[in-house]
């Protein structure tokens, strides 16, 4: 950590953030001392806990912290007086409350998750110190609410009044960057010679960024930037960008197959691709150019509509995907221009809102359960030792166990962070002793106190502005504030200070040990879990039990890809796993379309599609137990059989609707060969091949 700190080069914005946060904390401390609140340091510490360089993020975090504190205090007021005569039961109830709230927090991937987490450990913070005096729990709950609310109000006012930094421009810069990425991705996807690794990485990186935008956009309602109130529109834009990724994948895949079949791309295909590239790269949004491109694709599609060979079917599918690309990109630009202008067409917004819902994000119930269980066990262990030993500082240790099991739960492996927090807490005790024994005895008045605090707090506050050193800065500030326990009169009780510090270390230590045994999941297992979650959804789509809109389905699969990407550096062996996520998105979309279209086609084709869907469902269900299971060759054979039947259909409209998902499915099942669509010679030699039937397979 020391090397990281020494290598930092703080910017002016970092120093401004630190100075603003220190000003807000001192204001909160002054007001708390003036009104003789129970523990003024809670107000000061709260400022640092909710501090964030972006005013909108701070405000939303503050609102949810207040609500969580209220809910936690209410729970403590209910539990403690009624169960104080049964300490074991009270400890168990509070531990289960902390764990249950943390479970809900881990399932909610929005800023609202902070509310549930705070409701959990706030009950521990209010409840455990009042076990010896249950009559004081209501007063303690009110005091904590007052002190935390005061800190939040001071932090919010200073952040919004003194050189506010809004989240809107940050989001705007991010989206402008995405528009450039889409232009680059189009050029890469239109070239069959593009390096596959580059394409995989670029698509996956955009998918990973989409999840971050979802969270950032939710903060817009808490600030007054130019994008305030545009959360719904920005999330719709996010859905469009997500929809573009599988379309780019499909186009590149069809071009690869077409070149493999014919040796080179048809001239009219190259001309269309050049026109679309120029359109996407153009700075203006020209509707006439969009109309002309659609007309050019229609003319191309009409020329290949009656084709019966595999290259012709690939071009039919390609034409459909190019139409879709232009429409999606049109909506993307329309939404972004409308958001900046303040007027988004309702029809465009309506098309994409469904995919922006929280249901489109992956929820890891297993990780949430383990996080909750960790909090229950850690809190219960400390409480058990406290009850058995009569430890005077047991309440502090129990509180810190609950807090330690909660605050780092968003990490895959919280143990290193908890170990760091333990080290920083020990270092904080040393800083507290210096302040308590050397500096504070000479302080006479609040102005001198501010001067004594300023160098340390402003310097450490700068570290909170950088993700790499945020944990160190926060721990060194909040622990010093809480252990020092500044009040209206100076007192230097070294035994109490050390007792509180040791109890904090013990609480965090137990949380770290329990986390290591219960919570930590190897990154390999996490990636496997994400992939298997995709397989369960694909099986559900094939069986018809996945009852969600198409765009929600695509967004959820891509969201998991975004979750896998940042972890690949720790599990390079799973690179191939990420590469096949995008083809699985194509499989899911094809199955979704086939289930819908089969209702309107001839019975003999519909029945075959039903059998195919059931067999694909069985295949993905079997892979949950056999991770590397290869597809049954009969699956590919049946897709080819259905393709031949569809290829001979006389109803052109139905034929084309079926060919689109079937060609895509055929390409994802096998990229190394082409289906035999004309088997006249084979059938003449063996009439049994005329109408092969496929049975149920595993």
């Amino acid at each position: 950590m020391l090397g990281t700190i020494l290598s930092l080069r703080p910017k002016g914005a970092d120093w401004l953030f630190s100075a603003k946060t220190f000003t807000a904390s001192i204001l909160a401390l002054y007001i708390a001392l003036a009104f003789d609140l129970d523990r003024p340091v809670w107000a000061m510490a709260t400022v640092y806990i909710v501090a964030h360089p972006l005013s909108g993020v701070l405000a939303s975090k503050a609102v949810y912290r207040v609500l969580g504190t209220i809910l936690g205090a209410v729970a403590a007021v209910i539990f403690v007086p009624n169960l104080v005569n049964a300490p074991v039961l009270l400890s168990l109830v509070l531990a289960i409350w902390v764990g249950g709230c943390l479970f809900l927090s881990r399932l909610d991937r929005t800023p609202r998750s902070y509310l549930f987490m705070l409701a959990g450990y706030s009950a521990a913070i209010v409840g455990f110190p009042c076990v010896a005096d249950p009559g004081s729990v209501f007063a303690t709950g009110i005091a904590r609410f007052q002190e935390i609310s005061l800190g939040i109000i001071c932090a919010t006012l200073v952040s919004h009044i003194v050189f506010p930094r809004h989240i809107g421009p940050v989001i705007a810069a991010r989206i402008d960057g995405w528009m450039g990425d889409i232009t680059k991705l189009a050029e890469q996807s239109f070239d069959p010679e593009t390096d596959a690794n580059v394409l995989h990485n670029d698509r996956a990186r955009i998918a990973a960024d989409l999840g971050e935008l979802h969270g950032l956009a939710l903060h817009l309602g808490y600030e007054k930037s130019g994008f305030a109130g545009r959360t719904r529109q920005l999330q719709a834009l996010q859905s469009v960008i997500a929809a573009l990724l599988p379309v780019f994948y499909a186009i590149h895949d069809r071009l690869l197959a077409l070149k493999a079949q014919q040796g080179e791309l048809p001239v009219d295909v190259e001309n269309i691709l050049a026109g679309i590239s120029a359109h996407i790269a153009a700075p203006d949004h020209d509707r006439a150019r969009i109309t002309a491109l659609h007309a050019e694709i229609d003319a191309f599609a009409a020329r290949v509509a009656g084709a019966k060979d595999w290259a012709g079917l690939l071009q039919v599918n390609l034409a459909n995907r190019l139409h879709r690309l232009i429409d999606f990109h049109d909506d993307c630009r329309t939404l972004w221009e409308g958001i900046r202008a303040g007027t988004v067409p309702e029809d465009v917004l309506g098309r994409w809102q469904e995919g922006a819902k929280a249901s489109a994000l992956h929820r890891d119930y297993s990780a949430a359960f383990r996080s909750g269980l960790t909090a229950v066990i850690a809190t219960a262990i400390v409480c058990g030792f406290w009850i058995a030993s009569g430890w005077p500082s047991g309440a502090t240790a129990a509180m810190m166990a609950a807090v330690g099991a909660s605050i780092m739960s968003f990490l895959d492996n919280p143990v290193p962070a908890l170990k760091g927090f333990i080290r920083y807490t020990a270092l904080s005790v040393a800083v507290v002793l210096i302040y308590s024994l050397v500096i504070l005895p000479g302080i006479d008045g609040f102005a001198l106190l501010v001067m004594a605090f300023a160098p340390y707090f402003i310097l450490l506050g700068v570290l909170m502005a950088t993700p790499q050193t945020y944990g160190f800065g926060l721990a060194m500030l909040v622990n010093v504030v809480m252990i020092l326990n500044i009040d209206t009169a100076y007192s230097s009780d070294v035994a109490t200070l050390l007792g509180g510090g040791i109890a904090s270390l013990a609480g965090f230590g137990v949380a770290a040990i329990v986390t290591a045994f219960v919570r930590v999941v190897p990154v390999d297992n996490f990636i496997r879990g994400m992939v298997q979650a995709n397989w369960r959804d694909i099986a559900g789509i094939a069986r018809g039990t996945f009852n969600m809109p198409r765009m929600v389905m695509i967004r959820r699969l891509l969201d998991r890809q975004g979750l896998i990407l940042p972890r690949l550096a720790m599990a390079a062996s799973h690179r191939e796993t990420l590469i096949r996520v995008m083809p699985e998105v194509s499989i899911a979309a094809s199955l979704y379309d086939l289930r819908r279209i089969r209702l309107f086609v001839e019975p003999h084709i519909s029945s075959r599609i039903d059998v195919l869907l059931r067999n694909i469902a069985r295949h993905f269900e079997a892979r949950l137990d056999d991770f590397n299971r290869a597809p049954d060759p009969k699956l590919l054979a049946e897709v080819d059989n259905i393709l031949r039947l569809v290829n001979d259909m006389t109803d052109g409209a139905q034929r084309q609707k079926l060919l689109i998902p079937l060609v895509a499915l055929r390409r994802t099942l096998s990229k190394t060969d082409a289906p035999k669509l004309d088997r006249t010679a084979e059938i003449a030699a063996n009439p049994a091949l005329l109408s092969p039937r496929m049975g149920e397979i595993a």
Side-chain angles (χ1 to χ4, degrees):
M1 179 55 69
L2 181 61
T4 303
I5 293 173
L6 293 176
S7 66
L8 285 181
R9 298 295 182 268
K11 300 177 182 178
D14 299 334
W15 289 104
L16 178 61
F17 163 71
S18 180
K20 288 168 59 178
T21 305
F22 178 66
T23 301
S25 69
I26 289 299
L27 177 61
L29 178 64
Y30 178 81
I31 296 173
L33 291 171
F35 285 89
D36 198 22
L37 297 185
D38 182 45
R39 290 193 68 187
V41 292
W42 274 101
M44 186 177 186
T46 297
V47 172
Y48 280 99
I49 291 171
V50 302
H52 196 280
L54 300 174
S55 57
V57 176
L58 185 151
S60 68
K61 195 175 180 182
V63 169
Y64 289 123
R65 182 173 176 82
V66 169
L67 295 175
T69 301
I70 294 173
L71 188 56
V74 169
V77 169
I78 294 173
F79 296 150
V80 174
N82 292 302
L83 300 175
V84 71
N85 293 322
V88 174
L89 181 59
L90 174 59
S91 299
L92 186 60
V93 167
L94 281 173
I96 291 173
W97 172 266
V98 174
C101 290
L102 186 58
F103 172 77
L104 295 175
S105 174
R106 292 286 286 118
L107 287 181
D108 193 329
R109 292 175 55 196
T110 71
R112 187 176 53 239
S113 64
Y114 201 54
L115 184 156
F116 299 114
M117 184 190 297
L118 262 293
Y121 68 69
S122 290
I125 289 171
V126 173
F128 285 129
C130 297
V131 169
D133 183 15
S136 66
V137 67
F138 183 78
T140 301
I142 293 296
R144 294 296 170 270
F145 170 70
Q146 290 174 331
E147 292 150 3
I148 288 172
S149 298
L150 174 60
I152 287 169
I153 290 170
C154 291
T156 305
L157 285 176
V158 172
S159 177
H160 281 72
I161 293 174
V162 181
F163 301 110
R165 186 184 173 197
H166 296 304
I167 196 171
V170 175
I171 292 177
R174 185 73 53 85
I175 295 174
D176 283 336
W178 280 345
M179 292 301 183
D181 290 342
I182 289 171
T183 301
K184 177 183 174 184
L185 190 59
E187 294 175 358
Q188 295 171 329
S189 300
F190 293 168
D191 182 2
E193 302 300 325
T194 299
D195 183 78
N197 291 330
V198 173
L199 266 177
H200 294 316
N201 292 336
D202 287 350
R203 284 194 300 257
R205 179 174 47 78
I206 295 173
D209 289 343
L210 288 173
E212 184 182 355
L213 176 63
H214 187 275
L216 288 174
L218 291 172
H219 297 294
L220 285 172
Y222 299 88
E223 66 172 28
K224 297 298 181 183
S225 73
F227 294 121
R230 309 280 171 78
T231 297
R232 198 165 56 103
Q233 293 90 332
L234 282 167
Q235 289 179 341
L237 175 62
Q238 180 187 5
S239 292
V240 188
I241 296 174
L244 279 168
L245 297 180
V247 176
F248 277 126
Y249 166 81
I251 290 172
H252 183 71
D253 178 77
R254 306 306 175 264
L255 294 175
L256 281 175
L258 193 56
K259 187 169 183 180
Q261 283 292 111
Q262 299 186 331
E264 60 182 4
L265 296 180
V267 175
D268 47 0
V269 170
E270 290 185 336
N271 291 337
I272 292 172
L273 294 176
I276 296 175
S277 291
H279 164 65
I280 291 176
D284 60 313
H285 193 185
D286 189 343
R287 295 280 179 188
R289 185 166 56 230
I290 292 173
T291 302
L293 285 171
H294 277 306
E296 192 174 352
I297 297 171
D298 282 335
F300 163 68
R303 289 195 296 273
V304 298
K308 298 271 180 112
D309 62 316
W310 181 233
L313 299 189
L314 287 170
Q315 292 176 78
V316 170
N317 185 281
L318 177 63
N320 175 271
R321 294 302 184 247
L322 292 174
H323 275 307
R324 185 171 293 184
L325 171 63
I326 293 171
D327 287 337
F328 287 3
H329 185 264
D330 181 24
D331 283 352
C332 185
R333 270 193 166 175
T334 300
L335 280 168
W336 184 220
E337 291 176 0
I339 289 168
R340 288 186 293 192
T343 55
V344 175
E346 285 298 323
D347 60 328
V348 178
L349 186 61
R351 278 199 291 274
W352 296 102
Q353 270 191 282
E354 192 71 44
K357 293 183 177 179
S359 58
L361 300 179
H362 171 74
R363 290 186 176 184
D364 194 336
Y365 287 90
S366 175
F369 175 76
R370 289 194 303 272
S371 295
L373 183 62
T374 298
V376 172
I377 294 174
T379 307
I381 288 174
V382 174
C383 287
F385 179 79
W386 175 23
I387 293 169
S389 65
W391 185 17
S393 299
T396 300
M399 285 191 306
M400 291 302 103
V403 172
S406 299
I407 58 174
M408 302 296 179
S409 61
F410 64 92
L411 298 173
D412 289 340
N413 182 5
V415 174
L418 286 171
K419 287 181 178 177
F421 214 88
I422 292 169
R423 291 195 300 270
Y424 307 150
T425 300
L427 188 57
S428 299
V429 173
V431 175
V432 166
L433 290 175
I434 293 172
Y435 264 107
S436 183
L437 300 178
V438 179
I439 299 176
L440 293 185
I443 298 297
D444 181 18
F446 190 76
L448 286 177
L449 180 68
V450 174
M451 293 175 64
F453 278 163
Y456 176 82
F457 280 77
I458 291 178
L459 183 62
L460 270 294
V462 171
L463 300 182
M464 287 181 60
T466 304
Q468 294 90 330
T469 55
Y470 172 83
F472 175 80
L474 180 66
M476 292 299 295
L477 289 166
V478 172
N479 281 319
V480 166
V481 170
M482 296 302 298
I483 300 173
L484 200 56
N485 197 21
I486 295 294
D487 211 333
T488 50
Y490 168 74
S491 64
S492 179
D493 186 345
V494 176
T496 301
L497 291 177
L498 289 176
I502 292 171
S504 297
L505 291 172
F508 274 108
V510 171
I513 293 170
V514 175
T515 298
F517 282 99
V518 179
R519 168 70 177 82
V520 177
V521 175
V523 68
D524 284 6
N525 291 359
F526 175 88
I527 293 175
R528 286 171 68 98
M530 291 294 102
V531 174
Q532 288 174 330
N534 274 356
W535 292 346
R536 277 190 290 270
D537 283 352
I538 292 172
I541 293 165
R543 290 197 181 278
T545 58
F546 187 96
N547 298 316
M548 289 187 178
R550 190 178 192 275
M551 193 58 229
V552 172
M553 172 267 296
I554 290 175
R555 279 290 313 282
R556 182 180 289 188
L557 299 181
L558 288 174
D559 180 57
R560 293 190 185 116
Q561 184 183 28
L563 293 173
I564 290 172
L565 179 65
R567 294 164 172 87
L568 279 183
M570 297 177 285
S573 61
H574 280 281
R575 183 181 167 279
E576 293 299 320
T577 300
L578 179 64
I579 288 175
R580 69 186 183 205
V581 169
M582 191 61 75
E584 286 169 359
V585 174
S586 179
I587 291 175
S590 299
L591 297 179
Y592 193 98
D593 293 339
L594 282 175
R595 283 206 65 84
R596 178 176 53 83
I597 298 169
R598 83 190 210 291
L599 300 174
F600 309 101
V601 299
E602 300 168 14
H604 71 288
I605 295 179
S606 178
S607 63
R608 287 203 169 192
I609 292 175
D610 286 339
V611 173
L612 175 66
L613 292 173
R614 286 196 295 270
N615 285 330
I616 289 177
R618 289 192 181 95
H619 165 69
F620 280 102
E621 288 164 351
R623 292 184 75 179
L624 297 177
D625 298 319
D626 183 1
F627 191 81
N628 294 313
R629 180 187 179 95
D632 191 306
K634 293 181 181 179
L635 287 176
L636 190 62
E638 181 60 8
V639 172
D640 287 354
N641 289 335
I642 297 173
L643 261 175
R644 282 190 287 272
L645 290 173
V646 171
N647 207 20
D648 292 333
M649 289 177 65
T650 56
D651 186 332
Q654 277 197 1
R655 176 179 179 271
Q656 177 144 340
K657 287 179 181 178
L658 280 167
L659 283 176
I660 300 305
L662 285 171
V663 170
L665 185 59
R666 179 59 169 77
R667 277 292 298 168
T668 52
L669 289 176
S670 175
K671 297 184 181 300
T672 58
D673 65 346
K676 296 179 180 178
L677 299 175
D678 185 1
R679 304 179 70 192
T680 306
E682 287 184 76
I683 292 173
N686 185 2
L689 297 174
L690 183 61
S691 182
R693 300 292 296 175
M694 183 182 186
E696 306 288 335
I697 64 172

